Amino acid sequence: MAKAKTLKVQLFRSPIATQPKHKLCVQGLGLKKVGQVRELEDTPSVRGMINKVNYMVRVVEG
């Protein structure tokens, strides 16, 4: 069986002073603390959440 593609996403900026919907996107990605890295499945819904909060998260290599 083929291995599912994944993305490593890091929260590098605090979501404190952001819009409520953006806070929910960060929470939906499973990120709680600045500097935290999560490995997520590469799906269109995850990509959409990353694009919405692209000023707070970055995709990490490796």
Side-chain angles (χ1 to χ4, degrees), residues 29-44:
L29 291 169
L31 299 168
K32 296 179 181 176
K33 296 182 178 182
V34 175
Q36 183 180 8
V37 178
R38 287 287 312 254
E39 192 165 344
L40 303 167
E41 199 172 329
D42 188 9
T43 61

Side-chain angles (χ1 to χ4, degrees), residues 10-14 33-36 54-58:
Q10 179 184 20
L11 182 65
F12 72 91
R13 190 168 173 202
S14 175
K33 296 182 178 182
V34 175
Q36 183 180 8
N54 64 356
Y55 61 96
M56 283 190 284
V57 298
R58 63 173 62 119

Side-chain angles (χ1 to χ4, degrees), residues 2-9 37-43 46-47 50 59-62:
K3 186 177 178 183
K5 289 207 164 205
T6 59
L7 298 169
K8 286 189 179 182
V9 181
V37 178
R38 287 287 312 254
E39 192 165 344
L40 303 167
E41 199 172 329
D42 188 9
T43 61
V46 170
R47 290 239 176 197
I50 291 170
V59 177
V60 183
E61 292 292 326

Side-chain angles (χ1 to χ4, degrees), residues 17-32:
T18 60
Q19 298 177 15
K21 285 186 178 183
H22 291 200
K23 288 181 187 180
L24 290 174
C25 279
V26 171
Q27 186 180 9
L29 291 169
L31 299 168
K32 296 179 181 176

